[in-house]
Amino acid sequence: MAIRTALTDRLGLSVPVIQAPMASVATPALAAAVSNTGGLGSLGSAQLDAAALQAQISEVRAATDRPFNVNFFCHQRPQDDPARAAAFRARLAGFYADENLAKVPDPGETYLPFDEARLEVVLAARPAVVSFHFGPPRAEWLTAIKQAGCLTFGSATTVEEARDLEAAGIEVIVAQGWEAGGHRGTYRTSLDRAQVGTIALVPQVVDAVSCPVVAAGGIGDGRGIAAALMLGAVAAQLGTGFVLAEEAATPPLYRAALAAAGEGDTRVTRLFTGRPARALVARYVTEMTPHEAEVPDYPLPGPMVRPLIEAGVARGVPDFHPLWSGQAARLARSEPAAAIVARLARETEDALHRR
Ligand SMILES: Cc1cc2nc3c(=O)[nH]c(=O)nc-3n(C[C@H](O)[C@H](O)[C@H](O)COP(=O)(O)O)c2cc1C
């Protein structure tokens, strides 16, 4: 028996499960498999230019006629801070020497926020859902996306952010608890006030806004999904639970690290990109945490860290890789995405009926 909520009815889903958009991990094959099994598949498009985005949307469309979500980052562009960049460069020098790498590259904006070129792709493709991390897009862009018939989602890590997104015109709030893997969506609350766990955050957001709320963070199986529904959510968004999916673009060293991880093996760090994000702790995080204040603002550190990540991948070691993971690490399973969604549906029904 399908579990119905306002969101499953609106999108025609048979399972109240969203595969989280995951830049560099989600693939068109993953999104299509999830959507074909009755959940909502998502593309993490933050790192794609307009042409690559167009290609990925076409791939999803070729594999499914079901609804899917395309996600973007809406960050403010950073200020250059040469002193901080120099300090960070000096800290990285030892790792570069260990890996026999040449000079640390300059900081750079590898990832640009949502822009007109990608807006045009969205307006032409009209995916069922368009979602935003790090705040809402420009008002006129949001209006155009809604007029094109897309349902818009935005991530909130506090009640303040949820209210702000609703006031901006976002139609569904993704309440992201502190347990969540990957980047915190936090964009207008200080990080020390944006560390609320999912079980506390979701009902407070539900009470504060009138639009539907999706729960995200630390939900790894049907027990968590059932709990999210009890808290008033219309669906659960799982990231870590899909990182080991066969269709995900997760490198083998990342898969191995997550498969061996425990609930306490993650921390929220700015060390990879300049924005707080939850990852498994490996050598780079351990050794650099005391120097986190020197990390340039998002996304400037990207090109400086990239050669280390690539060197680690070439040697098959996780030392420098951003091993994004939430606290429900032990619940992730290596299965085809369709099997994950079917299992989550079964487990959710079992959990709801047991009560
Ligand atoms: C590998 C990975 C990449 C992520 N990338 C994105 C992203 O590109 N956009 C986004 O809105 N959220 C991203 N997230 C956060 C998810 O949307 C979601 O909030 C989180 O995964 C939920 O917590 P969980 O990992 O415990 O399920 C990412 C999460 C992970 C694990």
Side-chain angles (χ1 to χ4, degrees):
M1 193 191 67
I3 298 160
R4 296 182 58 180
T5 69
L7 190 73
T8 62
D9 283 355
R10 164 81 193 250
L11 294 174
L13 310 178
S14 55
V15 193
V17 168
I18 301 170
Q19 165 251 313
M22 295 185 284
S24 79
V25 166
T27 59
L30 176 63
V34 171
S35 291
N36 278 333
T37 320
L40 183 71
S42 305
L43 289 176
S45 319
Q47 301 173 3
L48 305 179
D49 63 17
L53 171 63
Q54 174 64 66
Q56 289 216 353
I57 290 176
S58 301
E59 258 190 81
V60 178
R61 281 261 156 79
T64 186
D65 55 7
R66 309 283 307 151
F68 61 93
N69 165 30
V70 180
N71 171 263
F72 300 99
F73 288 175
C74 289
H75 55 279
Q76 302 297 315
R77 300 199 45 198
Q79 301 281 341
D80 271 343
D81 184 341
R84 222 158 16 125
F88 187 54
R89 181 192 299 279
R91 293 287 174 205
L92 294 180
F95 297 117
Y96 269 66
D98 289 354
E99 296 298 321
N100 292 316
L101 293 168
K103 187 174 161 284
V104 181
D106 289 334
E109 280 187 83
T110 329
Y111 313 127
L112 291 172
F114 185 57
D115 56 11
E116 257 147 4
R118 285 175 286 174
L119 172 70
E120 271 178 36
V121 175
V122 166
L123 294 180
R126 300 196 298 154
V129 175
V130 179
S131 68
F132 298 98
H133 216 42
F134 310 149
R138 275 194 213 169
E140 66 270 26
W141 294 352
L142 185 60
T143 303
I145 291 168
K146 287 159 67 173
Q147 280 172 352
C150 310
L151 187 65
T152 54
F153 289 28
S155 306
T157 58
T158 59
V159 164
E160 178 201 17
E161 289 175 347
R163 287 195 174 121
D164 182 64
L165 290 167
E166 185 177 46
I170 291 284
E171 296 159 288
V172 177
I173 305 296
V174 179
Q176 187 196 39
W178 183 239
E179 302 91 323
H183 282 98
R184 310 245 359 100
T186 305
Y187 69 97
R188 60 173 284 154
T189 311
S190 66
L191 186 65
D192 56 342
R193 295 185 58 81
Q195 302 184 5
V196 184
T198 303
I199 203 163
L201 180 65
V202 171
Q204 296 187 74
V205 170
V206 168
D207 286 350
V209 296
S210 49
C211 59
V213 175
V214 169
I219 301 171
D221 65 13
R223 294 169 295 185
I225 297 165
L229 298 176
M230 291 296 130
L231 296 174
V234 292
Q237 177 161 306
L238 282 70
T240 305
F242 285 98
V243 169
L244 299 181
E246 278 177 15
E247 296 87 343
T250 315
L253 59 86
Y254 182 178
R255 286 180 187 270
L258 179 56
E263 73 287 359
D265 292 338
T266 67
R267 71 173 289 143
V268 172
T269 178
R270 291 178 57 251
L271 283 165
F272 290 104
T273 68
R275 275 189 104 98
R278 187 176 291 282
L280 297 173
V281 175
R283 179 182 166 209
Y284 171 69
V285 175
T286 306
E287 295 181 20
M288 284 290 286
T289 292
H291 314 297
E292 204 169 338
E294 292 161 7
V295 178
D297 287 343
Y298 181 91
L300 294 173
M304 305 174 84
V305 180
R306 169 72 31 206
L308 290 172
I309 297 173
E310 285 166 0
V313 169
R315 286 202 295 121
V317 295
D319 298 15
F320 306 106
H321 207 283
L323 306 164
W324 308 131
S325 171
Q327 293 179 332
R330 288 182 203 271
L331 301 178
R333 297 279 176 274
S334 305
E335 291 173 323
I340 295 177
V341 176
R343 173 172 54 78
L344 294 173
R346 220 171 36 244
E347 291 171 353
T348 307
E349 284 177 30
D350 285 355
L352 291 172
H353 290 143
R354 264 204 312 276
R355 300 290 150 210

